[in-house]
Amino acid sequence: MTTIFLWIYLFLQILSFLIIWDIILSWIIIFVWDFRPVWFKDMIENIYLIVKKIIRTNFWPFEFAPMIILFLISFLQILLLSLSPDLLKFISSLKN
């Protein structure tokens, strides 16, 4: 069971890095140009659409969908760590 939780935790961690990367790239778009790959933009926008269908997230000029998704990912990671104490021990051993 811990292995499944570990894979889910790692997937959520990678997803949060991708969302943060998308946020950084979207700031660069404002100042310079759009150089996000199409596959990356499509993948991230599909994730954002899940939240946008439920909650109005566009308050011009701010888009709150990435922040809401990052909060949900953090909540799910904390939930996984609380359900599996062995996972917490394993992750803390990786950091050392």
XYZ file of all heavy atoms in Angstrom:
836
model
N 0.817 -1.201 0.000
C 0.000 0.000 0.000
C 0.857 1.260 0.000
O 0.511 2.248 -0.626
C -0.925 -0.039 1.233
C -1.996 0.963 1.193
S -3.133 0.579 -0.129
C -4.551 1.425 0.393
N 1.972 1.192 0.695
C 2.863 2.340 0.746
C 3.434 2.650 -0.638
O 3.625 3.814 -0.981
C 4.012 2.070 1.733
O 3.451 1.745 2.997
C 4.904 3.275 1.868
N 3.656 1.618 -1.432
C 4.183 1.824 -2.773
C 3.198 2.592 -3.639
O 3.586 3.496 -4.386
C 4.500 0.468 -3.437
O 5.326 -0.299 -2.580
C 5.182 0.677 -4.759
N 1.936 2.257 -3.531
C 0.908 2.985 -4.294
C 0.854 4.434 -3.843
O 0.796 5.349 -4.677
C -0.465 2.299 -4.117
C -0.433 0.906 -4.727
C -1.571 3.143 -4.748
C -1.640 0.071 -4.420
N 0.892 4.663 -2.545
C 0.890 6.031 -2.025
C 2.126 6.796 -2.486
O 2.047 7.990 -2.777
C 0.807 6.033 -0.501
C -0.548 5.700 0.038
C -0.701 5.298 1.339
C -1.682 5.793 -0.743
C -1.944 4.996 1.861
C -2.926 5.495 -0.248
C -3.060 5.094 1.052
N 3.250 6.107 -2.557
C 4.469 6.762 -3.003
C 4.349 7.203 -4.460
O 4.717 8.334 -4.798
C 5.667 5.824 -2.834
C 7.001 6.353 -3.347
C 7.432 7.568 -2.550
C 8.046 5.268 -3.300
N 3.828 6.347 -5.311
C 3.671 6.711 -6.718
C 2.675 7.851 -6.893
O 2.891 8.744 -7.721
C 3.260 5.500 -7.549
C 4.415 4.595 -7.811
C 4.637 3.371 -7.253
C 5.531 4.846 -8.660
N 5.823 2.849 -7.704
C 6.387 3.729 -8.577
C 5.896 5.905 -9.479
C 7.576 3.654 -9.283
C 7.085 5.825 -10.200
C 7.902 4.709 -10.097
N 1.617 7.830 -6.120
C 0.640 8.929 -6.191
C 1.283 10.217 -5.704
O 1.114 11.285 -6.307
C -0.624 8.593 -5.365
C -1.354 7.417 -5.994
C -1.544 9.797 -5.269
C -2.477 6.867 -5.140
N 2.035 10.129 -4.622
C 2.716 11.303 -4.081
C 3.707 11.877 -5.101
O 3.764 13.093 -5.313
C 3.446 10.926 -2.788
C 4.101 12.082 -2.096
C 3.389 12.873 -1.206
C 5.435 12.393 -2.330
C 3.994 13.945 -0.572
C 6.048 13.457 -1.705
C 5.313 14.229 -0.821
O 5.903 15.292 -0.203
N 4.477 11.017 -5.746
C 5.444 11.471 -6.741
C 4.748 12.088 -7.958
O 5.209 13.093 -8.507
C 6.348 10.322 -7.172
C 7.327 9.830 -6.125
C 8.079 8.609 -6.638
C 8.288 10.919 -5.726
N 3.643 11.496 -8.380
C 2.875 12.060 -9.490
C 2.369 13.454 -9.134
O 2.459 14.380 -9.944
C 1.706 11.139 -9.847
C 0.776 11.738 -10.851
C 1.134 11.817 -12.184
C -0.457 12.240 -10.446
C 0.280 12.389 -13.111
C -1.311 12.805 -11.361
C -0.948 12.881 -12.702
N 1.850 13.614 -7.941
C 1.363 14.930 -7.510
C 2.507 15.936 -7.411
O 2.330 17.118 -7.742
C 0.637 14.811 -6.170
C -0.683 14.056 -6.194
C -1.196 13.858 -4.773
C -1.706 14.769 -7.047
N 3.668 15.477 -6.983
C 4.828 16.363 -6.896
C 5.260 16.833 -8.286
O 5.532 18.018 -8.490
C 5.981 15.643 -6.197
C 7.113 16.531 -5.814
C 6.737 17.490 -4.699
O 5.900 17.203 -3.864
N 7.351 18.643 -4.705
N 5.300 15.929 -9.243
C 5.664 16.293 -10.621
C 4.617 17.230 -11.204
O 4.955 18.210 -11.880
C 5.830 15.019 -11.475
C 7.065 14.255 -11.032
C 5.916 15.367 -12.967
C 7.191 12.876 -11.615
N 3.360 16.953 -10.932
C 2.285 17.817 -11.427
C 2.393 19.225 -10.848
O 2.212 20.213 -11.563
C 0.924 17.206 -11.088
C -0.294 17.892 -11.656
C -0.253 17.888 -13.171
C -1.549 17.222 -11.142
N 2.748 19.341 -9.585
C 2.897 20.665 -8.994
C 4.082 21.412 -9.603
O 4.004 22.615 -9.834
C 3.032 20.569 -7.475
O 4.217 19.907 -7.127
N 5.176 20.705 -9.906
C 6.304 21.354 -10.579
C 5.912 21.827 -11.972
O 6.324 22.905 -12.410
C 7.511 20.418 -10.666
C 8.225 20.228 -9.368
C 8.627 18.968 -8.963
C 8.510 21.300 -8.544
C 9.290 18.780 -7.768
C 9.170 21.134 -7.343
C 9.559 19.869 -6.953
N 5.126 21.029 -12.693
C 4.675 21.437 -14.024
C 3.783 22.668 -13.964
O 3.877 23.560 -14.817
C 3.949 20.285 -14.706
C 4.809 19.113 -15.161
C 3.932 18.004 -15.707
C 5.828 19.552 -16.177
N 2.934 22.737 -12.970
C 2.055 23.899 -12.833
C 2.865 25.141 -12.476
O 2.628 26.229 -13.019
C 0.947 23.614 -11.803
C -0.017 22.582 -12.371
C 0.204 24.884 -11.417
C -1.033 22.075 -11.408
N 3.838 24.997 -11.598
C 4.692 26.138 -11.258
C 5.486 26.577 -12.486
O 5.626 27.773 -12.749
C 5.618 25.790 -10.078
C 4.792 25.643 -8.809
C 6.706 26.843 -9.903
C 5.534 25.076 -7.635
N 5.958 25.612 -13.281
C 6.672 25.952 -14.498
C 5.750 26.690 -15.475
O 6.163 27.635 -16.143
C 7.249 24.694 -15.128
C 8.069 24.945 -16.343
C 7.786 24.554 -17.603
C 9.299 25.650 -16.418
N 8.777 24.968 -18.452
C 9.723 25.653 -17.755
C 10.106 26.299 -15.475
C 10.884 26.268 -18.173
C 11.261 26.907 -15.907
C 11.636 26.885 -17.231
N 4.500 26.266 -15.563
C 3.541 26.945 -16.428
C 3.277 28.372 -15.954
O 3.144 29.285 -16.773
C 2.230 26.164 -16.480
C 1.225 26.797 -17.401
O 1.537 26.939 -18.603
O 0.131 27.164 -16.930
N 3.220 28.561 -14.660
C 3.026 29.917 -14.120
C 4.202 30.814 -14.508
O 4.019 31.944 -14.957
C 2.851 29.867 -12.590
C 1.537 29.192 -12.227
C 2.918 31.268 -11.987
C 1.408 28.852 -10.759
N 5.414 30.298 -14.363
C 6.599 31.083 -14.725
C 6.594 31.400 -16.222
O 6.858 32.532 -16.623
C 7.878 30.338 -14.304
C 7.971 30.274 -12.780
C 9.125 30.998 -14.891
C 9.028 29.348 -12.258
N 6.281 30.410 -17.036
C 6.246 30.643 -18.480
C 5.143 31.622 -18.868
O 5.310 32.400 -19.803
C 6.068 29.321 -19.225
C 7.266 28.391 -19.224
C 6.928 27.104 -19.961
C 8.479 29.040 -19.816
N 4.041 31.603 -18.159
C 2.969 32.544 -18.488
C 3.376 33.977 -18.140
O 2.925 34.917 -18.785
C 1.673 32.166 -17.764
O 1.786 32.383 -16.377
N 4.215 34.157 -17.141
C 4.729 35.495 -16.849
C 5.685 35.961 -17.949
O 5.710 37.133 -18.295
C 5.448 35.529 -15.515
C 4.553 35.370 -14.337
C 3.200 35.560 -14.290
C 4.940 34.986 -13.022
N 2.730 35.303 -13.032
C 3.783 34.958 -12.223
C 6.149 34.658 -12.442
C 3.805 34.620 -10.898
C 6.166 34.322 -11.104
C 5.010 34.308 -10.353
N 6.480 35.045 -18.479
C 7.399 35.396 -19.559
C 6.613 35.779 -20.811
O 7.035 36.661 -21.559
C 8.377 34.236 -19.823
C 9.290 34.058 -18.613
C 9.204 34.487 -21.079
C 10.177 32.847 -18.682
N 5.474 35.151 -21.032
C 4.635 35.478 -22.186
C 4.223 36.944 -22.141
O 4.189 37.622 -23.166
C 3.384 34.578 -22.213
C 3.773 33.155 -22.525
C 2.367 35.073 -23.218
C 2.659 32.169 -22.316
N 3.942 37.432 -20.963
C 3.516 38.822 -20.822
C 4.623 39.768 -21.283
O 4.366 40.767 -21.948
C 3.135 39.119 -19.360
C 1.894 38.341 -18.966
C 2.903 40.613 -19.158
C 1.564 38.422 -17.489
N 5.857 39.455 -20.956
C 6.951 40.370 -21.228
C 7.666 40.121 -22.558
O 8.182 41.042 -23.155
C 7.963 40.327 -20.090
C 7.372 40.719 -18.777
C 7.261 39.795 -17.756
C 6.891 41.997 -18.573
C 6.704 40.154 -16.537
C 6.336 42.362 -17.363
C 6.235 41.433 -16.346
N 7.731 38.876 -22.991
C 8.555 38.585 -24.163
C 7.733 37.894 -25.251
O 7.175 38.533 -26.117
C 9.777 37.713 -23.771
C 10.712 37.553 -24.941
C 10.524 38.328 -22.596
N 7.653 36.579 -25.203
C 6.947 35.818 -26.230
C 6.481 34.494 -25.645
O 6.896 34.077 -24.584
C 7.837 35.584 -27.449
C 9.018 34.713 -27.170
C 9.070 33.359 -27.282
C 10.307 35.112 -26.711
N 10.296 32.902 -26.914
C 11.089 33.953 -26.570
C 10.891 36.344 -26.407
C 12.396 33.979 -26.139
C 12.199 36.354 -25.983
C 12.932 35.196 -25.854
N 5.621 33.812 -26.411
C 5.066 32.532 -25.973
C 5.908 31.403 -26.552
O 5.921 31.188 -27.761
C 3.616 32.404 -26.439
C 2.948 31.154 -25.912
O 3.544 30.461 -25.082
O 1.812 30.881 -26.338
N 6.631 30.698 -25.709
C 7.420 29.575 -26.194
C 7.091 28.288 -25.441
O 7.904 27.382 -25.356
C 8.928 29.871 -26.128
C 9.440 30.205 -24.765
C 9.932 29.226 -23.916
C 9.457 31.504 -24.330
C 10.407 29.532 -22.665
C 9.935 31.828 -23.083
C 10.413 30.838 -22.257
N 5.854 28.214 -24.912
C 5.417 26.966 -24.297
C 5.095 25.955 -25.396
O 4.401 26.284 -26.352
C 4.170 27.179 -23.439
C 4.443 27.922 -22.171
C 3.229 27.974 -21.300
N 2.175 28.749 -21.953
C 0.987 28.953 -21.428
N 0.687 28.447 -20.270
N 0.096 29.662 -22.066
N 5.552 24.723 -25.257
C 5.180 23.708 -26.250
C 3.668 23.474 -26.259
O 3.005 23.594 -25.222
C 5.916 22.455 -25.779
C 6.964 22.932 -24.836
C 6.472 24.216 -24.262
N 3.139 23.145 -27.418
C 1.695 22.967 -27.559
C 1.202 21.822 -26.682
O 0.163 21.937 -26.022
C 1.332 22.726 -29.040
C -0.136 22.417 -29.196
C 1.726 23.925 -29.869
N 1.942 20.716 -26.634
C 1.518 19.576 -25.823
C 1.475 19.945 -24.343
O 0.595 19.513 -23.607
C 2.425 18.365 -26.043
C 3.848 18.590 -25.643
C 4.855 19.055 -26.415
C 4.408 18.398 -24.334
N 6.021 19.159 -25.692
C 5.781 18.759 -24.408
C 3.899 17.951 -23.117
C 6.633 18.690 -23.317
C 4.752 17.880 -22.033
C 6.094 18.246 -22.135
N 2.435 20.756 -23.919
C 2.478 21.177 -22.516
C 1.310 22.102 -22.188
O 0.633 21.953 -21.177
C 3.819 21.877 -22.246
C 3.985 22.345 -20.837
C 4.242 21.446 -19.828
C 3.890 23.691 -20.516
C 4.405 21.872 -18.523
C 4.049 24.127 -19.222
C 4.306 23.211 -18.224
N 1.055 23.049 -23.079
C -0.039 23.988 -22.881
C -1.389 23.264 -22.854
O -2.238 23.548 -22.009
C -0.031 25.036 -23.991
C -0.955 26.198 -23.755
C -1.020 27.151 -24.934
C 0.320 27.655 -25.358
N 0.241 28.673 -26.428
N -1.575 22.306 -23.769
C -2.833 21.546 -23.805
C -3.028 20.711 -22.548
O -4.134 20.634 -22.002
C -2.873 20.646 -25.036
C -2.993 21.430 -26.319
O -3.397 22.610 -26.266
O -2.677 20.861 -27.384
N -1.960 20.080 -22.079
C -2.058 19.242 -20.894
C -2.427 20.075 -19.658
O -3.332 19.727 -18.900
C -0.730 18.521 -20.651
C -0.723 17.646 -19.424
S 0.859 16.893 -19.091
C 1.891 18.307 -18.765
N -1.734 21.185 -19.472
C -1.983 22.023 -18.306
C -3.364 22.686 -18.381
O -4.077 22.769 -17.383
C -0.859 23.073 -18.152
C 0.476 22.390 -17.885
C -1.180 24.077 -17.069
C 0.559 21.642 -16.582
N -3.759 23.137 -19.564
C -5.070 23.773 -19.702
C -6.200 22.791 -19.407
O -7.230 23.180 -18.861
C -5.236 24.379 -21.102
C -4.443 25.645 -21.307
C -4.860 26.760 -20.363
O -6.058 26.910 -20.078
O -3.957 27.486 -19.896
N -6.021 21.521 -19.751
C -7.045 20.527 -19.411
C -7.165 20.352 -17.904
O -8.262 20.131 -17.388
C -6.724 19.186 -20.078
C -7.021 19.209 -21.550
O -7.871 19.970 -22.005
N -6.326 18.384 -22.299
N -6.057 20.446 -17.203
C -6.100 20.365 -15.740
C -6.810 21.594 -15.173
O -7.612 21.497 -14.252
C -4.674 20.220 -15.176
C -4.076 18.894 -15.639
C -4.680 20.304 -13.663
C -2.611 18.747 -15.349
N -6.518 22.770 -15.743
C -7.165 23.997 -15.287
C -8.671 23.963 -15.543
O -9.447 24.517 -14.765
C -6.570 25.223 -15.965
C -5.134 25.527 -15.601
C -4.375 26.368 -16.399
C -4.530 24.979 -14.490
C -3.062 26.663 -16.090
C -3.222 25.259 -14.177
C -2.487 26.100 -14.971
O -1.199 26.386 -14.639
N -9.091 23.350 -16.643
C -10.514 23.309 -16.987
C -11.347 22.571 -15.937
O -12.524 22.883 -15.745
C -10.714 22.666 -18.358
C -10.418 23.561 -19.544
C -10.566 22.780 -20.840
C -11.317 24.770 -19.546
N -10.731 21.605 -15.276
C -11.447 20.874 -14.232
C -11.909 21.833 -13.135
O -13.044 21.788 -12.674
C -10.546 19.759 -13.648
C -10.234 18.721 -14.722
C -11.203 19.111 -12.437
C -9.152 17.741 -14.330
N -11.022 22.734 -12.737
C -11.358 23.705 -11.694
C -12.260 24.802 -12.247
O -13.194 25.251 -11.582
C -10.064 24.297 -11.088
C -10.374 25.416 -10.126
C -9.269 23.219 -10.408
N -12.009 25.224 -13.485
C -12.795 26.311 -14.071
C -14.259 25.934 -14.269
O -15.122 26.805 -14.265
C -12.193 26.733 -15.407
C -10.882 27.465 -15.271
C -10.328 27.812 -16.641
C -8.992 28.471 -16.534
N -8.424 28.794 -17.855
N -14.547 24.644 -14.444
C -15.934 24.197 -14.578
C -16.689 24.322 -13.259
O -17.889 24.511 -13.247
C -15.989 22.750 -15.057
C -15.609 22.586 -16.501
C -15.687 21.130 -16.898
C -15.244 20.940 -18.329
N -15.264 19.521 -18.719
N -15.969 24.210 -12.147
C -16.606 24.233 -10.829
C -16.664 25.640 -10.256
O -17.680 26.062 -9.723
C -15.842 23.291 -9.869
C -15.874 21.857 -10.411
C -16.438 23.341 -8.474
C -14.964 20.913 -9.670
N -15.555 26.367 -10.369
C -15.430 27.679 -9.737
C -15.035 28.708 -10.788
O -14.209 28.432 -11.652
C -14.337 27.648 -8.639
C -14.614 26.574 -7.613
C -14.225 28.996 -7.959
C -13.450 26.345 -6.661
N -15.588 29.889 -10.685
C -15.144 30.989 -11.549
C -13.788 31.449 -11.023
O -13.672 31.971 -9.910
C -16.148 32.134 -11.488
C -15.738 33.301 -12.336
C -16.803 34.370 -12.314
N -16.279 35.530 -13.015
C -16.031 36.696 -12.444
N -16.286 36.875 -11.172
N -15.554 37.688 -13.156
N -12.753 31.264 -11.843
C -11.394 31.546 -11.376
C -10.749 32.720 -12.079
O -9.626 33.071 -11.755
C -10.490 30.319 -11.575
O -10.433 30.014 -12.971
C -10.993 29.137 -10.791
N -11.417 33.323 -13.029
C -10.799 34.401 -13.785
C -11.309 35.746 -13.289
O -12.424 36.142 -13.583
C -11.096 34.237 -15.278
C -10.296 35.173 -16.120
O -9.417 35.864 -15.618
N -10.605 35.217 -17.397
N -10.505 36.419 -12.509
C -10.795 37.769 -12.042
C -9.743 38.662 -12.665
O -8.628 38.761 -12.167
C -10.751 37.846 -10.516
C -11.755 36.947 -9.867
C -11.376 35.716 -9.358
C -13.075 37.331 -9.780
C -12.293 34.894 -8.755
C -14.004 36.512 -9.180
C -13.609 35.284 -8.674
N -10.105 39.269 -13.773
C -9.139 39.982 -14.600
C -8.264 40.887 -13.763
O -8.786 41.608 -12.928
C -9.861 40.782 -15.680
C -8.925 41.387 -16.649
C -8.415 40.776 -17.751
C -8.360 42.684 -16.611
N -7.575 41.631 -18.399
C -7.514 42.811 -17.707
C -8.467 43.766 -15.733
C -6.801 43.959 -17.965
C -7.750 44.906 -15.996
C -6.930 44.999 -17.105
N -6.992 40.911 -13.915
C -6.088 40.190 -14.817
C -5.500 38.925 -14.189
O -4.478 38.437 -14.645
C -4.993 41.201 -15.080
C -4.842 41.918 -13.777
C -6.261 41.984 -13.222
N -6.121 38.412 -13.145
C -5.550 37.275 -12.426
C -6.321 35.998 -12.731
O -7.545 35.997 -12.810
C -5.574 37.525 -10.912
C -4.839 38.766 -10.515
C -5.514 39.893 -10.102
C -3.462 38.806 -10.571
C -4.846 41.038 -9.740
C -2.767 39.945 -10.209
C -3.464 41.065 -9.790
N -5.585 34.906 -12.828
C -6.153 33.578 -13.029
C -5.818 32.752 -11.790
O -4.646 32.524 -11.490
C -5.569 32.931 -14.287
C -6.037 31.540 -14.537
C -7.498 31.480 -14.893
O -7.979 32.329 -15.654
O -8.166 30.576 -14.379
N -6.844 32.321 -11.065
C -6.618 31.627 -9.797
C -6.670 30.108 -9.908
O -6.475 29.420 -8.915
C -7.638 32.093 -8.755
C -7.406 33.500 -8.305
C -8.248 34.516 -8.704
C -6.336 33.815 -7.499
C -8.035 35.814 -8.297
C -6.099 35.105 -7.089
C -6.961 36.109 -7.492
N -6.914 29.561 -11.092
C -6.974 28.107 -11.255
C -5.664 27.422 -10.862
O -5.704 26.402 -10.161
C -7.380 27.747 -12.675
N -4.490 27.935 -11.267
C -3.250 27.256 -10.842
C -3.065 27.246 -9.325
O -2.639 26.242 -8.753
C -2.138 28.074 -11.501
C -2.783 28.781 -12.622
C -4.198 29.008 -12.214
N -3.427 28.338 -8.674
C -3.272 28.398 -7.225
C -4.223 27.418 -6.535
O -3.839 26.735 -5.582
C -3.534 29.817 -6.730
C -3.231 30.005 -5.266
S -3.348 31.703 -4.709
C -5.011 32.126 -5.097
N -5.448 27.320 -7.011
C -6.417 26.387 -6.429
C -5.940 24.953 -6.610
O -6.020 24.135 -5.684
C -7.810 26.612 -7.045
C -8.355 27.974 -6.631
C -8.766 25.498 -6.654
C -9.604 28.395 -7.365
N -5.418 24.645 -7.797
C -4.915 23.288 -8.045
C -3.705 22.982 -7.170
O -3.580 21.876 -6.641
C -4.604 23.098 -9.539
C -5.918 23.107 -10.321
C -3.845 21.814 -9.787
C -5.768 23.086 -11.798
N -2.827 23.955 -6.991
C -1.672 23.733 -6.107
C -2.114 23.497 -4.663
O -1.533 22.667 -3.955
C -0.696 24.901 -6.192
C 0.138 24.965 -7.467
C 0.971 26.244 -7.484
C 1.037 23.758 -7.582
N -3.139 24.213 -4.216
C -3.678 23.967 -2.870
C -4.265 22.560 -2.767
O -4.063 21.865 -1.767
C -4.736 24.994 -2.498
C -4.188 26.328 -2.109
C -4.844 27.481 -2.485
C -3.037 26.462 -1.368
C -4.359 28.735 -2.138
C -2.528 27.698 -1.008
C -3.192 28.835 -1.403
N -4.982 22.130 -3.795
C -5.563 20.777 -3.791
C -4.471 19.711 -3.800
O -4.581 18.698 -3.099
C -6.500 20.597 -4.979
C -7.812 21.347 -4.928
C -8.561 21.210 -6.245
C -8.659 20.839 -3.783
N -3.430 19.930 -4.578
C -2.318 18.977 -4.613
C -1.640 18.907 -3.249
O -1.339 17.814 -2.756
C -1.319 19.360 -5.724
C -1.920 19.075 -7.096
C 0.003 18.618 -5.549
C -1.093 19.579 -8.242
N -1.415 20.042 -2.632
C -0.803 20.053 -1.292
C -1.675 19.338 -0.278
O -1.182 18.570 0.556
C -0.557 21.487 -0.838
O 0.342 22.116 -1.679
N -2.986 19.569 -0.360
C -3.908 18.889 0.545
C -3.853 17.378 0.344
O -3.808 16.613 1.317
C -5.333 19.413 0.337
C -6.361 18.674 1.116
C -6.488 18.874 2.477
C -7.199 17.759 0.498
C -7.437 18.182 3.213
C -8.144 17.058 1.216
C -8.267 17.271 2.585
N -3.848 16.929 -0.919
C -3.786 15.491 -1.186
C -2.462 14.886 -0.730
O -2.434 13.762 -0.221
C -3.997 15.232 -2.678
C -5.401 15.466 -3.202
C -5.435 15.313 -4.716
C -6.384 14.515 -2.540
N -1.372 15.622 -0.868
C -0.090 15.111 -0.396
C -0.062 14.988 1.126
O 0.446 14.004 1.666
C 1.047 16.008 -0.880
C 1.348 15.848 -2.343
C 2.445 16.766 -2.815
O 2.619 17.854 -2.284
N 3.180 16.332 -3.821
N -0.607 15.961 1.805
C -0.683 15.884 3.270
C -1.572 14.731 3.696
O -1.259 14.000 4.645
C -1.166 17.226 3.851
C -0.097 18.292 3.645
C -1.534 17.094 5.319
C -0.566 19.694 3.956
N -2.666 14.534 2.981
C -3.557 13.412 3.283
C -2.848 12.081 3.083
O -2.972 11.168 3.914
C -4.809 13.501 2.405
C -5.884 12.466 2.648
C -6.489 12.659 4.038
C -6.950 12.555 1.585
N -2.092 11.949 2.003
C -1.334 10.714 1.773
C -0.305 10.471 2.858
O -0.117 9.341 3.317
C -0.640 10.774 0.407
C -1.502 10.559 -0.813
C -0.698 10.817 -2.069
C -2.071 9.160 -0.827
N 0.373 11.532 3.284
C 1.376 11.373 4.335
C 0.746 11.013 5.674
O 1.336 10.283 6.472
C 2.203 12.650 4.473
C 3.138 12.952 3.309
C 3.803 14.302 3.508
C 4.166 11.851 3.151
N -0.448 11.503 5.918
C -1.111 11.155 7.182
C -1.681 9.742 7.155
O -1.785 9.097 8.189
C -2.210 12.168 7.499
O -3.241 12.071 6.551
N -2.032 9.254 5.972
C -2.568 7.893 5.872
C -1.474 6.835 5.938
O -1.735 5.700 6.321
C -3.355 7.724 4.569
C -4.681 8.464 4.489
C -5.284 8.301 3.101
C -5.636 7.972 5.544
N -0.277 7.207 5.543
C 0.819 6.244 5.520
C 2.053 6.827 6.204
O 2.847 7.523 5.572
C 1.144 5.868 4.072
O 2.221 4.994 4.039
N 2.241 6.538 7.481
C 3.427 7.047 8.189
C 4.736 6.514 7.601
O 5.767 7.171 7.678
C 3.235 6.564 9.619
C 1.823 6.142 9.735
C 1.345 5.822 8.370
N 4.694 5.314 7.010
C 5.896 4.771 6.386
C 6.345 5.623 5.207
O 7.540 5.749 4.938
C 5.651 3.334 5.904
C 5.362 2.393 7.044
O 5.830 2.678 8.163
O 4.676 1.383 6.822
N 5.388 6.189 4.518
C 5.713 7.065 3.401
C 6.453 8.307 3.883
O 7.413 8.742 3.257
C 4.434 7.459 2.653
C 4.591 8.366 1.445
C 5.394 7.671 0.363
C 3.229 8.764 0.925
N 6.024 8.841 5.000
C 6.706 10.000 5.575
C 8.145 9.662 5.954
O 9.067 10.438 5.704
C 5.932 10.516 6.785
C 6.479 11.747 7.475
C 6.524 12.927 6.518
C 5.648 12.074 8.695
N 8.348 8.488 6.537
C 9.695 8.068 6.893
C 10.553 7.901 5.647
O 11.725 8.299 5.612
C 9.655 6.755 7.664
C 9.069 6.875 9.037
C 8.989 5.522 9.704
C 8.243 5.612 11.011
N 8.053 4.279 11.617
N 9.978 7.321 4.599
C 10.726 7.105 3.370
C 11.110 8.434 2.704
O 12.248 8.601 2.275
C 9.891 6.251 2.413
C 10.586 5.966 1.118
C 11.619 5.035 1.067
C 10.218 6.618 -0.036
C 12.276 4.771 -0.121
C 10.865 6.357 -1.221
C 11.897 5.438 -1.266
N 10.188 9.367 2.630
C 10.467 10.658 2.008
C 11.492 11.450 2.820
O 12.389 12.076 2.273
C 9.169 11.442 1.795
C 8.336 10.741 0.736
C 9.431 12.881 1.401
C 6.972 11.320 0.538
N 11.375 11.377 4.132
C 12.369 12.088 4.958
C 13.750 11.448 4.840
O 14.757 12.142 4.941
C 11.910 12.148 6.407
O 11.827 10.831 6.927
N 13.810 10.143 4.624
C 15.121 9.491 4.426
C 15.727 9.885 3.080
O 16.950 9.923 2.939
C 14.995 7.984 4.534
O 14.301 7.456 3.423
N 14.894 10.197 2.088
C 15.414 10.636 0.791
C 16.023 12.028 0.863
O 16.968 12.330 0.158
C 14.294 10.647 -0.255
C 13.774 9.301 -0.724
C 12.635 9.495 -1.705
C 14.867 8.485 -1.362
N 15.480 12.860 1.722
C 15.972 14.230 1.833
C 17.300 14.310 2.558
O 18.015 15.289 2.461
C 14.943 15.113 2.526
C 13.707 15.308 1.672
C 12.712 16.199 2.344
C 11.493 16.382 1.464
N 10.497 17.251 2.079
N 17.636 13.307 3.327
C 18.898 13.315 4.076
C 20.023 12.747 3.308
O 20.246 12.352 2.376
C 18.759 12.532 5.388
C 17.826 13.263 6.336
O 17.700 14.462 6.267
N 17.191 12.509 7.194
